[in-house]
């Protein structure tokens, strides 16, 4: 008599399950949008029961927060590694603008999530997108201030106005890209 042995498949770690859920949420939110993408859709994509998601995330909004947190983490990790190696405050400012344009153009679904989420107005709890936009504005303002100090930018230049102009221009580019789908010429 042959007894077949059943190989026991190891259960994924908590971190692996969370990673799978977050990646599935990113796919669903990017393809369907946040409002139309359901927790059931996410669970189906992840190959798990819907209730499993609620073990790790108490709401669909918390799941979106994690998708965006990870997205921004990759961007700012890249910036932290690259920015110090760039010489000149003007070049560093151009790099920050270019990096933002690349972020906009590389994934239209994430671009839509960022755009939608940045528009949520809640002064008590600003969205993660708003926080990250402020973080980028601080990096840009610091480059302008340092450039003024070393003479590469004109004295009297307003860092906040420069950042508002750059931010406004980038927001218009992002909005146009979302509306038309027309590729962005990053260069």
């Amino acid at each position: 008599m042959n007894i077949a042995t059943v190989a026991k498949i190891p259960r994924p770690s908590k971190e692996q399950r969370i990673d799978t859920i977050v990646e599935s949420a990113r796919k669903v939110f990017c393809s369907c949008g946040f409002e139309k993408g359901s927790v059931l859709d996410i669970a189906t994509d992840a190959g798990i029961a819907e209730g499993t998601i609620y073990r790790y995330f108490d709401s669909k909004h918390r799941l979106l927060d994690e998708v965006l947190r990870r997205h921004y983490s990759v961007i700012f990790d890249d910036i932290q590694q690259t920015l110090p190696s760039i010489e000149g405050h003007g070049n560093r400012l151009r790099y920050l603008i270019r990096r933002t344009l690349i972020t906009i153009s590389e994934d239209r679904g994430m671009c839509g999530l960022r755009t939608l989420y940045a528009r949520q107005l809640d002064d008590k709890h600003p969205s993660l997108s708003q926080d990250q936009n402020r973080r980028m504005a601080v990096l840009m303002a610091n480059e302008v201030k340092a450039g003024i100090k070393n003479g590469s930018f004109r004295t009297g230049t307003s860092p906040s106005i420069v950042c508002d102009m750059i931010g406004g221009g980038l927001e218009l580019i992002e909005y146009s890209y979302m509306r038309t789908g027309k590729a962005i010429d990053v260069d």
Side-chain angles (χ1 to χ4, degrees):
M1 181 168 148
N2 255 343
I3 299 176
T5 55
V6 177
K8 189 171 184 178
I9 298 171
R11 181 181 171 110
S13 69
K14 177 181 178 182
E15 291 78 21
Q16 289 170 324
R17 288 189 300 265
I18 290 171
D19 289 347
T20 300
I21 292 167
V22 172
E23 180 54 28
S24 291
R26 187 195 66 73
K27 283 192 251 176
V28 169
F29 293 156
C30 287
S31 65
C32 302
F34 175 72
E35 296 301 325
K36 291 182 182 176
S38 70
V39 174
L40 178 59
D41 295 334
I42 295 165
T44 300
D45 185 83
I48 58 173
E50 184 177 357
T52 303
I53 291 174
Y54 291 108
R55 281 182 167 163
Y56 305 104
F57 299 95
D58 62 1
S59 69
K60 192 166 92 166
H61 276 281
R62 293 287 177 250
L63 192 47
L64 176 61
D65 284 343
E66 184 61 16
V67 168
L68 288 169
R69 186 194 67 72
R70 289 178 183 212
H71 172 72
Y72 285 117
S73 178
V74 168
I75 294 166
F76 281 99
D77 285 350
D78 178 56
I79 288 170
Q80 284 180 324
Q81 289 178 9
T82 306
L83 196 60
S85 67
I86 299 171
E87 290 192 33
H89 300 292
N91 290 333
R92 291 163 63 104
L93 185 59
R94 277 188 281 284
Y95 163 75
L96 292 169
I97 294 166
R98 180 180 173 74
R99 183 63 180 93
T100 302
L101 289 171
I102 289 169
T103 299
I104 292 168
S105 65
E106 69 187 357
D107 187 339
R108 193 163 181 229
M110 282 304 298
C111 181
L113 285 179
R114 284 190 312 271
T115 303
L116 169 72
Y117 205 54
R119 296 267 180 239
Q120 294 179 350
L121 299 175
D122 181 358
D123 292 335
K124 292 181 182 177
H125 305 297
S127 76
L128 185 60
S129 291
Q130 291 167 332
D131 286 342
Q132 299 309 310
N133 288 343
R134 275 193 280 284
R135 187 175 174 191
M136 183 64 81
V138 166
L139 290 172
M140 289 181 182
N142 288 342
E143 293 306 325
V144 173
K145 289 174 189 174
I148 292 168
K149 192 172 183 175
N150 80 359
S152 55
F153 291 112
R154 281 193 342 220
T155 304
T157 300
S158 169
S160 63
I161 290 175
V162 170
C163 290
D164 286 347
M165 290 174 63
I166 292 170
L170 291 170
E171 188 175 328
L172 286 172
I173 290 168
E174 187 169 44
Y175 174 75
S176 175
Y177 176 60
M178 286 308 302
R179 192 172 48 80
T180 66
K182 184 180 174 191
I184 297 170
D185 181 3
V186 173
D187 294 322

